[in-house]
Each structure stands twice: as structure tokens, then as C-alpha cells.
Amino acid sequence: MDIRVVLFGAPGAGKGTQAERLVKDFGLMHLSTGDALRRAIREGTEMGLRAQAFMDRGDLVPDAVVIGIVKEALRGGGARNGFILDGFPRTTPQALELEAFLIEQGLPLTHVVSLEVGEEELVGRILGRRAQSKEGRADDDEKAIRLRFKAFAEQTLPLKRFYQDRGLLREINGARPVEQVYDAVRAAVLGK
Ligand code: AP5
């Protein structure tokens, strides 16, 4: 069973939460561009230094940086057994590059699963995460959250149409308890 999926959704929609469950069930490779960038910042790499200011204020990191991360990860053998892309692509140039690259690798996407959650619920989740964690994410403050939503609405949301046109998009109500959302995500990636 081929599972090569993009988990799509606004900040706080539950992409990381659902990806963890898919990894457990199907042993897929999980690539979160946000996690990869945060790791690079912690390690003080040149890429991390370049990305940090964009991330902290809630802006998207330049396409060339994230495309580089994704291609490098997908070139490794692990992608052949299936993968989840979480938080990528986020712009039309990223989606076009990904599409060409995956065709070249013989690994086209099987589904794009969009987690649909209203903005009020999303803000509540992110502020809840900030209140719970000691160190926290620099971009979980209210000013950065607003910019993250703006970037999503202007640059990322148009990709739903892009994937709808390719017959890949599956929309799921993500404003339900985690396990209920997962049942729907699982069914979608299994093509049910
Ligand atoms: P990224 O790390 O991708 O963050 P994000 O998209 O803002 O999303 P989050 O991690 O906040 O949310 P999520 O959807 O994963 O939800 P989660 O499961 O964590 O990106 C961060 C930054 O990196 C970007 O702003 C940008 O600067 C840069 N970046 C990354 N990718 C890029 C790209 N491709 N191009 C350019 N720049 C890029 O859940 C959130 C919270 O809700 C948790 O507390 C969780 O426990 C809770 N929760 C989850 N599901 C439920 C549920 N069903 N009910 C109740 N609570 C729930």
C-alpha cells in the first residue's frame, strides 16, 4: 500500500499530532519542515541562523531554504517506504518544485489531507500550548500567531485548489477529538 501524503492545515490544525499517529501505524517517514528548521536553529547551523528571524516573527522562511531541506530528506532511501510531509508545501513555488521532484523520483503524492479547523479554536490551541510548555516556541505569541495566519491565508490556502485540480485533496473536520480526527485521516490515506 503506497502512502505518500501531505498533511495540510493552518497553524495549530493538528498536523504534527496526526503525523505521529500515522508514523506509529504505518512506519512512514515523517518530515516536518518546522521541526527541521527548529533543529537547525538549536544547532546553530548557517541555515538555522538564516531561518530564525523569519520564524520568530511568524513569516515563511524563503522557498529555497525549505525546498533544499525536503529534497535532501526525500533523496534518502526511507522515502521509498512512504512518507508524510507536515507543513510543506506552503507556497505555489514549493508545490511545483515538489511535484516535479517526486515525478522524477517515481514517488508521486497519493493524497493531500487537509485538516479543517476554525480560527478561534486554532488560536485557543496555540495559546494553550504556550501556557503549558516551559520553554515554548517564540512564534506562539499573539503577534506572531496573527502573522502565521496571514501567511497561511495568503500564501498557503491557494494550494487547496492546486491539489483539488489534481484529484488529491481530502478535507477532514479537524475540530473534533484527536482520535476521531485520526480515524478520518487514516481512512483518507487508505483511500476509503
Ligand atoms: P510549523 O512548525 O509547521 O508550525 P505551524 O504550521 O504553525 O503548525 P503548528 O506546529 O503550530 O501546528 P500543527 O498543525 O502541527 O498542530 P499540532 O499537532 O502541533 O512551522 C513553523 C514555522 O516554520 C512557520 O511559521 C515558518 O516560519 C517555518 N516553516 C515551516 N515550514 C515551512 C515551509 N514549508 N515554508 C516556509 N516556512 C516554513 O497541534 C497544536 C496544538 O493543538 C497542540 O498543543 C496539540 O496538542 C493540540 N491539538 C492537536 N489536535 C487537537 C485536537 N484534535 N483537539 C484539541 N487539541 C488538539
Side-chain angles (χ1 to χ4, degrees):
M1 169 99 226
D2 289 333
I3 302 178
R4 295 185 292 271
V5 62
V6 168
L7 275 181
F8 185 89
K15 302 181 293 294
T17 303
Q18 296 301 322
E20 258 178 43
R21 281 162 176 76
L22 284 173
V23 167
K24 232 190 239 167
D25 265 6
F26 298 105
L28 305 168
M29 177 181 136
H30 173 207
L31 176 59
S32 155
T33 40
D35 287 348
L37 290 163
R38 281 185 288 275
R39 201 174 316 121
I41 291 172
R42 274 198 309 275
E43 291 170 358
T45 66
E46 200 186 319
M47 181 177 74
L49 292 175
R50 228 183 123 194
Q52 181 159 24
F54 293 96
M55 288 183 79
D56 285 356
R57 65 174 181 262
D59 260 344
L60 293 185
V61 171
D63 287 335
V65 175
V66 277
I67 289 168
I69 293 175
V70 172
K71 284 188 177 175
E72 192 185 320
L74 290 176
R75 275 200 190 100
R80 305 237 150 241
N81 299 322
F83 57 79
I84 306 161
L85 298 179
D86 156 3
F88 182 93
R90 268 170 140 105
T91 64
T92 301
Q94 291 179 20
L96 287 167
E97 281 258 6
L98 178 70
E99 184 173 56
F101 179 75
L102 291 179
I103 289 172
E104 185 192 300
Q105 301 285 314
L107 298 171
L109 292 174
T110 54
H111 299 96
V112 174
V113 176
S114 174
L115 301 171
E116 306 288 325
V117 182
E119 191 164 316
E120 208 177 311
E121 162 88 15
L122 294 170
V123 174
R125 286 184 189 181
I126 295 173
L127 293 179
R129 173 169 66 190
R130 182 177 68 166
Q132 274 171 10
S133 86
K134 265 194 211 146
E135 290 171 11
R137 274 172 51 171
D139 62 347
D140 275 354
D141 75 74
E142 280 172 52
K143 197 169 160 207
I145 292 171
R146 268 199 299 279
L147 245 179
R148 284 159 68 193
F149 284 130
K150 187 166 180 278
F152 178 76
E154 291 175 359
Q155 298 181 71
T156 309
L157 210 47
L159 295 184
K160 276 179 71 171
R161 182 62 195 268
F162 178 97
Y163 286 119
Q164 198 165 31
D165 288 348
R166 285 153 175 79
L168 292 172
L169 188 72
R170 307 288 180 272
E171 290 178 288
I172 282 175
N173 174 5
R176 294 177 287 172
V178 171
E179 293 308 327
Q180 275 182 35
V181 177
Y182 183 61
D183 287 344
V185 169
R186 193 172 190 281
V189 302
L190 292 173
K192 290 180 184 164

